[in-house]
Amino acid sequence: MALIEIRNLWKEYGQQVVLEQLNKTVGEGEFITIVGASGCGKTTFLKMLLGTESVSRGQLLLDGKPLPGEPGPERGIVFQRYSVFPHLSVLGNVMLSLELEKSPLLGRLFGGARKTAEKLAKEMIDAVGLGQAMHKYPHELSGGMQQRLALAQSLIKRPRILLLDEPFGALDPGIRADMHQLVLSLWQEHKLTVFMITHDIKEGFYLGTRLWVFDKCRFDPQAPNAYGAQITYDLPVGQTDGHLLKKSPPRAAEKVPPPLPDKYRRNLWNQVFTNIPCPARVIGLCVCGVGFV
Amino acid sequence: MALIEIRNLWKEYGQQVVLEQLNKTVGEGEFITIVGASGCGKTTFLKMLLGTESVSRGQLLLDGKPLPGEPGPERGIVFQRYSVFPHLSVLGNVMLSLELEKSPLLGRLFGGARKTAEKLAKEMIDAVGLGQAMHKYPHELSGGMQQRLALAQSLIKRPRILLLDEPFGALDPGIRADMHQLVLSLWQEHKLTVFMITHDIKEGFYLGTRLWVFDKCRFDPQAPNAYGAQITYDLPVGQTDGHLLKKSPPRAAEKVPPPLPDKYRRNLWNQVFTNIPCPARVIGLCVCGVGFV
Amino acid sequence: MKKLINRVPGRTARWILGVLPFVLCLVLYLAASNARLAENENDKLLPSFSSFAGAIERMAFTPDKRSGNYLLWQDTASSLWRLSLGLGLSALLALVIGILNGAIPYMRAPLSPFITAISLIPPMAILPILFIVFGLGELAKVMLIVIGIAPFLIRDVQQRALEIPAEQLIKAQTLGANTWQIIVRVLFPQIMPRLLASVRLSLGAAWLFLIAAEAIAATEGLGYRIFLVRRYLAMDVILPYVVWITLLAFLLDYVLRKISRMCYPWFHAQIQTAEN
Amino acid sequence: MKKLINRVPGRTARWILGVLPFVLCLVLYLAASNARLAENENDKLLPSFSSFAGAIERMAFTPDKRSGNYLLWQDTASSLWRLSLGLGLSALLALVIGILNGAIPYMRAPLSPFITAISLIPPMAILPILFIVFGLGELAKVMLIVIGIAPFLIRDVQQRALEIPAEQLIKAQTLGANTWQIIVRVLFPQIMPRLLASVRLSLGAAWLFLIAAEAIAATEGLGYRIFLVRRYLAMDVILPYVVWITLLAFLLDYVLRKISRMCYPWFHAQIQTAEN
Amino acid sequence: AAERQKFSVCWSIYVGWMPWGFGAEQDIVKKWADKYGIQIDVVQINDYIESINQYTAGKYDGCSMTNMDALTIPAAGNVDSTALIVGDFSNGNDGVVLKNQKDLKAIKGQKVNLVELSVSHYLLARALDSVGLAEKDIQVVNTSDADLVAAFNTKDVTAVVTWNPLLSEILAMPNTNSVFDSAKIPGEIIDLMVVNTKTLQENPKFGKALVGAWYEMMGLMSANSEAGRAARTAMGKASGTDLAGYDAQLASTKMFYLPAEAVAFTNSAQLKTTMQYVAEFSFNHGLLGEGAADATFIGVETPSGIYGNSKNVQLRFDPTFMQLAADGKL
Ligand SMILES: Nc1ncnc2c1ncn2[C@@H]1O[C@H](COP(=O)(O)OP(=O)(O)OP(=O)(O)O)[C@@H](O)[C@H]1O
Ligand SMILES: Nc1ncnc2c1ncn2[C@@H]1O[C@H](COP(=O)(O)OP(=O)(O)OP(=O)(O)O)[C@@H](O)[C@H]1O
Ligand SMILES: [Mg+2]
Ligand SMILES: [Mg+2]
């Protein structure tokens, strides 16, 4: 059965339509990367999956039932920012979810139970390369270090669904690659379902099993808020890495995306092709060439 | 004469050495892109140029004189975050520097003078693609839109030196390319000197006339804070775009960087080569192949 | 079932819930009052509602024989006038000194400890000196309010000014602002809504000082009236006056909140204010 | 020359500047006192420093004729005891109710308007009712402090709890926290330093209410002594007492600040606190 | 010093002083001031002690107060003061009240709520004397006057000493008994208009205008006519009650409506004895200041002689101006 079903979903803020007519099905264990123009509603979509934004029209189903309208432990998140607790050290931040689980009353562990939790947390902290900063507070960390901490905090619980909002934006390529490995290995091991927003198209292609492009197909210059964004492309990706494809779950059959209307203003892919030199184009050609070039 | 001279510069926070022995000369009109591992001191370096962090040892000269120890209008900045004024609309944010210049007492313009300033500001806002959000407040903008606003705000003054701290991290590739064009054209037109931190190596290669790599060459596992980062590579770049090279100022002769010590832990370039597929490697090979491959 | 933290009452529910404790208080009062009156029908401490009605009729709707004035309205007018003067002056002081203190280290160094010290002096203890300095006229009453709440407001504004991210001040300097321009274009507008919030928090204290001042030297005003009838334990007058004062303060609070929301939408959008 | 906003006095300069206004005040006092004493050598309003010395000697270092106690220390002990009880109780109430109000909409809806109303009632005006409820003993004095500052503290804590970014509450829920766990692990620790800051801000008010309470009915305490000797304008006792109260409050303020800095370093690193 | 044109006196709300407010409002004071070519401001200060403090600090030229406070505040503060008008004495206006007990002796061991160091305290001392008790037999709890009535409602309070109108409010409550009152020590608690001696000596017009106005008001309020009732109604209203309430307070006050009565009272030898009691009480409670070696430290001048140190006379009972009024020479 599909894990998540999106049926004719709309999201409006007052007069402004942000998202319109989304229809998708996502199976357990898929890794969906989301790209799209700034301000087109990607974060909003993630918030709906999280349960903190309400659905304006349509349905959002988890396991066939309406998605709970509040966040819960089965859905982890890494926000664009504000994602860690300023009053806890690195270790405290990562241990938090373990403590919450084991100690319903105080939310704190002591003695042996604490030792165990600490050990688990330390492993995860080492995995994100913060071993040196174990006892520092977030304000003592650089932006990239905070982001890694947020990641560690979310990953230690192995949530069924992991929502990532530009998690690697502030990381340098070296550490970013480490993080990619970490997320991928946990994803494979625990059959997580991941939704990840990124602005790095390469990352989108490289990490995901499926790449969604959010964009406005309809645009009325007189009333720029009248139409919302849709998922204009849903591409099977990940072929660059054979081993990923091998292990990724069978993908629901999807329609071939329609040819690209070449008049709409901020065409993401147009920009990519015009401005970024060879690399992206190379990938674009080889991976999704079938689609629309 | 050199615009900026860096002479044996050190920066320490208490026991922790962040930067050590920097020695560089930067001429008017250069476009320097800076890459380096997270937490290695790039932002700190920018802050010293800005005048908000003091120099621990060594000298930092502007036009041969010690750099003023406080921010001033000749050095513009776009921070990683917190960069726009929450109490001003998009238009108000961009107009601010014009108002400050023309009205020393109130910091506000009225009547004709205001009209003129508004026109100028609107052009800049259109250039960063925020024409639709002219009267919105920052809290009504997405992260990427805020970053573009910060850029517009800094660029309208055409500061002699422009300091950018990961200005495009939150932008999608389409808009990012627009911003690249904008910065480049202003840079060429007004002979700005630009320092830009980025985590996107492609961007570094594409935009700059010179790419600096910050990294720790010395590392003592017993005392991880004992040594600071240095500028390990200083590469003449920009050749991918012939037109940029043509217009870029003559570059000071620089030593060929030393061969790469292959034992140190977070070797940025190693990571690049191992994890990022073709594109970066291609550029790396063709551009700086001479140096160290 | 959603978690408690995520369950939000609707508009109507919020109203009903909001009124509930007041109703409870009323019921409690009625019970206590009845009990006391049953014991001693002349008890003055917790009068019945009919006594209140009589007192209100007398104070608000019957012209005073002596002066022909309606006492309640006259008292209200003078008290409100003093209160607004005191509040306004304090806010102004807080704005000027608080922002300067927050912005300029060389102002803060001498003034901040001094103002902290002043804020800790109980004004009631040095009344004789205050009255000698400010006389016993209207000025004294207004000044007692100012002395009572201005140090608090100044400290709060200073604190808030210091909380404005350093990045903004730096940014303003790179845009060419000098110290004065930073104050008027960056700090002042951002402090204003915060000042309004502090003024709202200090409304209770302002009334307290007003009443204290009026109890010492005045010939009209809400505090004066309460002082006057207090020696007869005329709770039938005092309690309606207290309710009236509270209502006025509530209204003032409400108006200040609305003004703040209207003039500084960006501020209220930033902080998640479910303030009621 | 740096801009005013960027010029920061050094350690010594800050000390000197900080002491300056106090010295100025002292000089001003001396001048005024001398002028008055020249006119009437027995003037009681602004006594000379030798009178202060005499009064201090009498109050602090000579046992009282009647009771054999050292009055100043006895007064200080009882006042500090009442003050700390009142402050502690208020802080506790603020912590519990404020956090619950901030976290749970269904608590906030009924309680927030009610507490706002209570915070606006001038406690001095309803003393008779407070007497019925709390009597006239030690409890009444402590409760007057509580009634005076707890509503303010509660409102402030609630406001601060609401200012904690929603993202943190959401994050905690994704980490498996229920409402109670969010309260104890996310809200409580982050509110604590803010509560300490509010308590510091309300120290002045707490003293005020303590002194008012001791003026109503007491047999010892700093406020009692001040009101007693006010009967014969003994400013030579009142002023040292006021300075002593201010000093005690200052010390309390200092201790609270140090505690906050020691226990919540992350909080003080976040906000750029050049608090003095 | 040069003669002055402008003067100010202050008063506070108490049964015997209400005429000042009435006289100011009805321009009676102004009329008399005009007559002598001067100007007199009459200022109401609600807090009694604050009004005396302000006078003592030199803000006012005259102030209404009791004989005891005149001795312990201005006189003890070396502000040489003259009792210009002896307005009345308390004749039952101050009293000791016990809950549930009828005998003053039962006060032994109780806590007594009163305004410490005030005339109530003095009355208590005199009351205790009368039954052979001393202050150490009870415990005094300082209680602010404004809160006494309400405080009496609590269980903690079993005995109070206070004045009117608080006294009658308390006596109206069930199970209360007045066990001692000022009628038992007549003429010892005296309400005065006290003025600065120096000012008075330099500006006799000031004294004449005040005294003249006062006895015009006395005449008005004592009359059993419509005008008299109107005057008393106004005064009652201004003190927060009505005509009946005010008349009840007057009933326990011995007003000197006629200047001759006041002069006779002032001239009597009894006054000197009273001031001796007061001075002794004040000294025992440390009210005469640190310099005082004994109760006679401050001299009090009365027509029948000086009590205490004649070199340090700071309080003077001077019937001269009242005599002028009695003689119709104003
Ligand atoms: N609370 C809100 N009220 C009104 N409009 C909102 C609100 N939140 C978001 N929006 C609007 O919805 C649109 C989508 O915002 P969203 O944050 O989802 O964009 P995004 O795709 O994540 O952009 P970015 O890539 O820049 O982060 C924007 O136009 C924004 O202005
Ligand atoms: N105020 C400070 N006090 C102490 N240490 C600091 C301070 N600011 C920065 N650091 C330390 O200095 C080092 C460099 O920080 P900086 O912010 O310059 O890194 P960065 O290169 O910009 O990293 P990123 O790419 O993640 O933004 C970090 O190790 C950080 O912990
Ligand atoms: Mg987003
Ligand atoms: Mg940085």
Side-chain angles (χ1 to χ4, degrees):
Chain A
M1 194 180 75
L3 179 73
I4 287 174
E5 265 180 277
I6 305 166
R7 292 200 193 141
N8 194 29
L9 188 74
W10 292 65
K11 178 67 193 175
E12 291 148 20
Y13 282 119
Q15 286 294 311
Q16 182 185 3
V17 181
V18 177
L19 295 170
E20 58 179 46
Q21 298 177 239
L22 305 190
N23 280 294
K24 288 286 165 213
T25 312
V26 177
E28 185 108 37
E30 293 199 64
F31 193 136
I32 292 165
T33 50
I34 297 173
V35 296
S38 166
C40 77
K42 304 180 297 297
T43 299
T44 306
F45 175 71
L46 224 59
K47 283 184 183 165
M48 289 195 292
L49 281 178
L50 187 60
T52 60
E53 279 291 352
S54 60
V55 169
S56 299
R57 269 184 273 171
Q59 279 184 304
L60 194 53
L61 305 178
L62 174 67
D63 294 326
K65 286 186 288 283
L67 189 118
E70 61 175 356
E74 76 285 359
R75 285 160 291 158
I77 178 122
V78 175
F79 284 112
Q80 275 177 287
R81 53 182 189 132
Y82 275 136
S83 232
V84 291
F85 296 106
H87 62 293
L88 296 176
S89 68
V90 167
L91 183 62
N93 261 292
V94 178
M95 254 180 26
L96 184 62
S97 62
L98 303 177
E99 293 192 285
L100 291 172
E101 190 183 336
K102 301 266 168 59
S103 163
L105 210 62
L106 285 179
R108 278 182 196 281
L109 294 177
F110 302 93
R114 186 181 172 85
K115 285 262 159 58
T116 324
E118 256 176 28
K119 207 172 138 264
L120 262 168
K122 276 184 179 156
E123 273 165 25
M124 184 51 83
I125 292 170
D126 280 332
V128 298
L130 290 177
Q132 298 287 349
M134 197 77 80
H135 298 289
K136 284 195 172 177
Y137 283 97
H139 70 87
E140 298 171 291
L141 305 178
S142 76
M145 290 158 100
Q146 290 192 25
Q147 206 58 15
R148 279 183 275 159
L149 174 56
L151 198 65
Q153 192 178 44
S154 294
L155 287 178
I156 199 164
K157 279 284 284 194
R158 268 118 224 186
R160 245 179 109 197
I161 301 171
L162 185 62
L163 307 169
L164 306 171
D165 196 350
E166 301 183 38
F168 308 130
L171 302 183
D172 64 89
I175 292 176
R176 186 185 292 214
D178 284 348
M179 295 303 110
H180 287 173
Q181 283 314 317
L182 179 68
V183 170
L184 284 178
S185 68
L186 286 170
W187 166 63
Q188 284 168 6
E189 217 176 294
H190 301 279
K191 284 237 173 274
L192 313 180
T193 307
V194 183
F195 290 83
M196 179 177 103
I197 298 177
T198 179
H199 279 317
D200 185 337
I201 296 176
K202 278 197 329 292
E203 198 172 75
F205 278 107
Y206 171 67
L207 283 180
T209 60
R210 213 166 143 185
L211 178 100
W212 289 358
V213 181
F214 276 57
D215 213 340
K216 281 192 186 184
C217 287
R218 311 189 288 174
F219 186 81
D220 177 352
Q222 249 60 53
N225 292 334
Y227 298 110
Q230 301 177 332
I231 299 176
T232 50
Y233 292 93
D234 180 351
L235 309 168
V237 291
Q239 288 92 334
T240 38
D241 265 8
H243 70 280
L244 283 181
L245 193 62
K246 233 177 26 244
K247 292 185 182 170
S248 71
R251 192 165 301 123
E254 295 283 341
K255 285 180 302 200
V256 174
L260 198 71
D262 59 20
K263 61 183 186 306
Y264 80 94
R265 215 180 130 276
R266 289 226 203 97
N267 183 314
L268 180 70
W269 296 94
N270 274 344
Q271 301 279 7
V272 172
F273 288 164
T274 330
N275 293 307
I276 298 199
C278 59
R281 202 177 304 163
V282 172
I283 302 179
L285 276 168
C286 60
V287 175
C288 24
V290 207
F292 53 91
V293 174
Chain B
M1 195 180 77
L3 179 73
I4 287 173
E5 266 180 276
I6 304 165
R7 291 201 193 140
N8 193 31
L9 189 73
W10 292 64
K11 177 68 192 176
E12 291 149 18
Y13 284 117
Q15 287 295 310
Q16 184 185 5
V17 180
V18 177
L19 295 171
E20 57 178 47
Q21 297 179 239
L22 306 190
N23 280 294
K24 288 286 165 210
T25 312
V26 177
E28 184 109 39
E30 293 199 62
F31 193 134
I32 292 165
T33 50
I34 297 171
V35 297
S38 167
C40 76
K42 305 180 295 298
T43 300
T44 306
F45 176 70
L46 226 58
K47 283 183 182 164
M48 290 197 289
L49 282 178
L50 186 60
T52 60
E53 279 292 351
S54 60
V55 170
S56 298
R57 271 184 273 168
Q59 277 184 305
L60 195 53
L61 304 178
L62 174 66
D63 294 328
K65 287 184 291 281
L67 190 119
E70 60 175 354
E74 78 284 357
R75 282 161 291 157
I77 180 121
V78 174
F79 284 112
Q80 274 177 288
R81 56 183 189 134
Y82 275 137
S83 230
V84 290
F85 296 105
H87 63 294
L88 296 176
S89 68
V90 167
L91 183 61
N93 260 294
V94 178
M95 253 179 28
L96 183 61
S97 62
L98 304 176
E99 293 192 286
L100 292 173
E101 190 183 336
K102 301 265 168 60
S103 162
L105 211 63
L106 285 179
R108 279 181 196 280
L109 294 177
F110 303 95
R114 188 183 172 83
K115 285 260 159 58
T116 323
E118 257 177 27
K119 207 170 138 266
L120 261 166
K122 277 184 179 154
E123 273 166 24
M124 184 51 82
I125 293 171
D126 281 330
V128 298
L130 290 177
Q132 299 287 350
M134 197 79 79
H135 299 288
K136 285 195 170 175
Y137 282 97
H139 70 87
E140 298 171 290
L141 305 178
S142 76
M145 292 160 99
Q146 290 192 27
Q147 206 59 15
R148 281 182 273 158
L149 175 56
L151 198 64
Q153 193 178 43
S154 294
L155 287 177
I156 198 164
K157 280 282 284 193
R158 268 115 224 186
R160 245 180 110 197
I161 300 171
L162 185 62
L163 307 170
L164 305 171
D165 197 349
E166 300 182 37
F168 310 128
L171 303 182
D172 64 89
I175 291 176
R176 187 187 291 216
D178 284 350
M179 295 302 108
H180 287 170
Q181 285 312 316
L182 179 68
V183 169
L184 284 178
S185 69
L186 285 171
W187 167 61
Q188 284 168 5
E189 218 176 292
H190 301 278
K191 283 239 172 274
L192 313 180
T193 307
V194 183
F195 289 83
M196 181 177 103
I197 297 176
T198 178
H199 279 316
D200 185 339
I201 296 176
K202 281 197 327 291
E203 200 173 75
F205 278 107
Y206 171 67
L207 282 181
T209 60
R210 216 165 142 183
L211 177 97
W212 289 358
V213 181
F214 277 58
D215 213 341
K216 283 192 186 185
C217 287
R218 311 188 287 173
F219 187 82
D220 177 353
Q222 248 59 52
N225 293 332
Y227 298 109
Q230 302 177 330
I231 299 177
T232 49
Y233 293 94
D234 179 353
L235 310 167
V237 292
Q239 288 94 331
T240 36
D241 266 8
H243 71 281
L244 283 182
L245 191 63
K246 234 178 25 245
K247 292 186 184 169
S248 71
R251 192 163 302 122
E254 295 283 342
K255 286 182 300 199
V256 173
L260 200 70
D262 59 20
K263 62 183 184 308
Y264 78 95
R265 212 183 133 277
R266 291 227 203 96
N267 184 317
L268 179 69
W269 295 93
N270 276 343
Q271 301 280 7
V272 173
F273 288 163
T274 330
N275 293 309
I276 299 199
C278 60
R281 200 178 304 165
V282 171
I283 303 178
L285 276 171
C286 60
V287 175
C288 24
V290 207
F292 54 91
V293 174
Chain C
M1 231 6 213
K2 277 193 186 184
K3 294 186 205 77
L4 214 48
I5 204 172
N6 294 321
R7 262 181 278 160
V8 181
R11 234 187 140 68
T12 339
R14 214 161 57 225
W15 259 97
I16 294 172
L17 286 172
V19 170
L20 204 69
F22 292 97
V23 172
L24 273 179
C25 259
L26 221 67
V27 169
L28 214 74
Y29 179 88
L30 272 179
S33 163
N34 279 344
R36 281 190 79 97
L37 287 171
E39 239 180 62
N40 169 12
E41 60 176 15
N42 278 343
D43 182 71
K44 287 181 139 188
L45 201 61
L46 301 180
S48 68
F49 274 60
S50 60
S51 322
F52 287 144
I56 293 171
E57 164 69 30
R58 211 161 65 241
M59 304 305 288
F61 304 113
T62 318
D64 184 42
K65 271 181 233 131
R66 263 204 305 164
S67 56
N69 291 327
Y70 295 86
L71 289 181
L72 178 66
W73 309 119
Q74 191 189 10
D75 289 341
T76 306
S78 4
S79 285
L80 277 186
W81 172 238
R82 290 167 191 150
L83 189 80
S84 10
L85 265 185
L87 275 178
L89 214 61
S90 306
L92 198 72
L93 273 177
L95 205 58
V96 174
I97 303 184
I99 291 186
L100 285 182
N101 268 6
I104 303 176
Y106 266 97
M107 288 280 291
R108 185 162 65 235
L111 284 185
S112 178
F114 188 58
I115 288 168
T116 303
I118 288 184
S119 80
L120 296 172
I121 296 178
M124 299 304 173
I126 50 163
L127 277 181
I129 294 182
L130 294 185
F131 283 120
I132 295 295
V133 177
F134 299 112
L136 274 157
E138 288 300 295
L139 180 67
K141 289 161 208 123
V142 173
M143 285 314 293
L144 190 63
I145 301 179
V146 172
I147 289 174
I149 65 172
F152 162 80
L153 285 180
I154 292 175
R155 284 179 77 193
D156 206 47
V157 166
Q158 171 184 328
Q159 182 62 28
R160 295 303 191 140
L162 286 171
E163 280 174 19
I164 287 180
E167 280 87 347
Q168 287 190 22
L169 307 185
I170 294 168
K171 181 82 184 210
Q173 294 180 57
T174 66
L175 298 179
N178 56 33
T179 301
W180 169 248
Q181 287 176 322
I182 289 177
I183 288 173
V184 294
R185 292 294 324 258
V186 180
L187 293 176
F188 172 76
Q190 294 200 61
I191 286 300
M192 272 308 287
R194 296 177 166 96
L195 176 67
L196 281 179
S198 313
V199 167
R200 286 178 51 211
L201 273 181
S202 64
L203 269 182
W207 274 106
L208 189 78
F209 285 106
L210 175 70
I211 288 175
E214 288 184 341
I216 286 166
T219 52
E220 87 257 298
L222 298 166
Y224 170 71
R225 198 68 52 194
I226 289 178
F227 153 83
L228 190 63
V229 301
R230 199 157 138 211
R231 56 185 88 192
Y232 303 98
L233 201 64
M235 298 304 286
D236 55 338
V237 175
I238 294 179
L239 287 182
Y241 261 69
V242 168
V243 171
W244 176 235
I245 287 174
T246 309
L247 204 73
L248 286 176
F250 211 93
L251 276 179
L252 218 60
D253 187 79
Y254 182 82
V255 168
L256 286 177
R257 197 170 79 215
K258 283 287 144 182
I259 290 180
S260 183
R261 281 185 178 272
M262 221 173 57
C263 299
Y264 310 101
W266 53 269
F267 178 73
H268 294 274
Q270 269 185 322
I271 64 166
Q272 168 210 17
T273 35
E275 315 148 316
N276 275 306
Chain D
M1 220 26 199
K2 277 194 184 184
K3 294 188 207 74
L4 215 45
I5 204 172
N6 293 322
R7 261 181 278 160
V8 181
R11 232 187 141 71
T12 338
R14 212 160 59 226
W15 258 98
I16 295 172
L17 286 171
V19 170
L20 203 68
F22 294 96
V23 172
L24 273 179
C25 259
L26 220 68
V27 169
L28 214 73
Y29 178 88
L30 272 180
S33 163
N34 279 342
R36 283 190 76 97
L37 287 171
E39 249 181 50
N40 168 9
E41 59 177 16
N42 268 18
D43 180 70
K44 286 183 139 187
L45 192 71
L46 303 181
S48 68
F49 274 60
S50 60
S51 324
F52 288 145
I56 294 170
E57 163 69 31
R58 207 162 67 242
M59 305 306 289
F61 305 113
T62 318
D64 184 44
K65 268 179 252 153
R66 275 199 286 169
S67 59
N69 291 326
Y70 293 85
L71 292 181
L72 178 66
W73 309 117
Q74 190 188 10
D75 290 341
T76 306
S78 22
S79 284
L80 277 186
W81 172 239
R82 291 168 189 151
L83 189 81
S84 9
L85 266 185
L87 274 178
L89 214 60
S90 306
L92 197 72
L93 273 176
L95 205 58
V96 174
I97 304 183
I99 290 185
L100 286 181
N101 268 5
I104 302 175
Y106 266 95
M107 287 280 289
R108 187 161 66 236
L111 284 186
S112 177
F114 188 59
I115 288 167
T116 302
I118 288 183
S119 80
L120 297 172
I121 296 177
M124 300 302 170
I126 52 162
L127 279 179
I129 292 184
L130 297 184
F131 290 159
I132 317 183
V133 183
F134 302 112
L136 212 59
E138 288 299 294
L139 179 68
K141 292 174 196 93
V142 172
M143 284 315 291
L144 191 64
I145 300 179
V146 172
I147 288 173
I149 66 171
F152 161 80
L153 285 179
I154 293 174
R155 285 178 76 193
D156 207 48
V157 166
Q158 172 184 330
Q159 181 64 27
R160 295 303 191 140
L162 287 171
E163 280 175 20
I164 287 180
E167 279 88 347
Q168 288 191 20
L169 308 186
I170 293 168
K171 181 83 184 209
Q173 293 180 58
T174 66
L175 297 180
N178 57 31
T179 301
W180 169 247
Q181 288 177 320
I182 289 177
I183 288 174
V184 294
R185 292 295 323 257
V186 180
L187 293 176
F188 171 76
Q190 292 199 61
I191 285 300
M192 271 309 286
R194 297 177 166 94
L195 175 67
L196 281 180
S198 313
V199 167
R200 287 178 52 210
L201 271 181
S202 64
L203 269 182
W207 274 105
L208 190 77
F209 284 105
L210 172 71
I211 288 176
E214 291 184 339
I216 290 166
T219 54
E220 87 253 299
L222 297 166
Y224 162 78
R225 196 71 53 197
I226 286 178
F227 272 85
L228 187 66
V229 304
R230 180 166 161 254
R231 275 224 68 100
Y232 49 100
L233 197 61
M235 297 302 285
D236 56 338
V237 175
I238 294 181
L239 288 182
Y241 261 69
V242 168
V243 171
W244 177 237
I245 288 174
T246 310
L247 204 73
L248 286 176
F250 212 93
L251 275 180
L252 218 59
D253 186 80
Y254 181 83
V255 168
L256 287 177
R257 196 170 79 215
K258 284 287 145 183
I259 290 179
S260 182
R261 281 184 177 273
M262 220 172 58
C263 299
Y264 309 101
W266 52 269
F267 178 73
H268 294 275
Q270 270 185 321
I271 65 168
Q272 166 210 16
T273 33
E275 314 148 315
N276 274 304
Chain E
E3 277 193 29
R4 279 162 53 198
Q5 291 301 314
K6 286 186 69 170
F7 302 89
S8 56
V9 298
C10 56
W11 65 283
S12 48
I13 293 176
Y14 181 66
V15 51
W17 296 323
M18 294 317 292
W20 288 116
F22 179 74
E25 195 185 270
Q26 302 289 320
D27 284 346
I28 297 173
V29 176
K30 185 174 185 301
K31 192 178 92 188
W32 283 84
D34 287 346
K35 179 170 173 184
Y36 289 97
I38 56 173
Q39 210 179 321
I40 301 177
D41 274 338
V42 178
V43 177
Q44 175 189 336
I45 298 180
N46 300 327
D47 189 282
Y48 169 59
I49 287 302
E50 199 51 50
S51 71
I52 306 176
N53 284 344
Q54 295 287 315
Y55 162 77
T56 308
K59 269 252 156 177
Y60 294 92
D61 301 302
C63 182
S64 59
M65 63 188 85
T66 66
N67 54 335
M68 178 177 143
D69 293 316
L71 177 67
T72 58
I73 306 178
N78 272 29
V79 175
D80 192 336
S81 299
T82 299
L84 179 70
I85 300 169
V86 176
D88 66 87
F89 64 77
S90 169
N91 193 20
N93 236 342
D94 299 71
V96 182
V97 180
L98 295 185
K99 247 186 209 167
N100 300 325
Q101 268 148 339
K102 295 205 162 82
D103 185 8
L104 176 58
K105 287 200 181 106
I107 203 171
K108 192 171 178 192
Q110 295 199 25
K111 280 187 179 170
V112 184
N113 290 71
L114 49 73
V115 181
E116 231 179 296
L117 308 182
S118 71
V119 291
S120 296
H121 203 165
Y122 174 76
L123 178 75
L124 176 69
R126 300 280 286 137
L128 292 173
D129 259 352
S130 72
V131 291
L133 293 173
E135 219 183 301
K136 61 176 188 309
D137 296 323
I138 50 132
Q139 193 193 350
V140 166
V141 180
N142 187 38
T143 309
S144 86
D145 51 343
D147 301 308
L148 256 173
V149 185
F152 196 74
N153 275 299
T154 66
K155 280 205 183 62
D156 307 347
V157 179
T158 54
V160 299
V161 186
T162 188
W163 53 77
N164 264 326
L166 317 174
L167 183 61
S168 45
E169 289 299 329
I170 288 176
L171 286 172
M173 294 178 195
N175 307 323
T176 54
N177 300 294
S178 170
V179 293
F180 190 87
D181 67 26
S182 55
K184 302 213 169 91
I185 51 163
E188 290 192 25
I189 297 173
I190 313 166
D191 298 321
L192 312 166
M193 170 49 76
V194 169
V195 298
N196 189 298
T197 304
K198 188 155 163 269
T199 307
L200 183 65
Q201 277 164 0
E202 286 165 2
N203 306 279
K205 285 177 179 175
F206 169 52
K208 289 179 183 170
L210 276 183
V211 174
W214 177 258
Y215 286 107
E216 178 175 343
M217 296 179 298
M218 287 297 103
L220 244 174
M221 76 181 281
S222 61
N224 194 14
S225 64
E226 196 52 47
R229 261 191 300 280
R232 292 201 303 280
T233 308
M235 292 181 205
K237 194 104 194 166
S239 64
T241 180
D242 50 16
L243 178 61
Y246 189 62
D247 278 343
Q249 293 177 36
L250 279 176
S252 52
T253 308
K254 171 67 185 119
M255 292 296 297
F256 297 123
Y257 289 120
L258 296 174
E261 292 174 343
V263 171
F265 179 82
T266 312
N267 284 333
S268 75
Q270 172 66 30
L271 181 61
K272 194 176 151 203
T273 319
T274 298
M275 287 319 290
Q276 180 184 341
Y277 288 150
V278 172
E280 280 163 0
F281 171 86
S282 303
F283 173 75
N284 287 336
H285 289 85
L287 300 183
L288 295 186
E290 276 318 293
D294 57 39
T296 61
F297 175 70
I298 294 172
V300 181
E301 183 187 294
T302 68
S304 57
I306 293 177
Y307 167 78
N309 186 352
S310 56
K311 299 222 177 60
N312 187 28
V313 174
Q314 299 289 356
L315 179 61
R316 302 159 200 274
F317 285 85
D318 181 0
T320 324
F321 290 85
M322 294 186 288
Q323 186 68 55
L324 288 177
D327 298 345
K329 292 191 181 145
L330 291 176

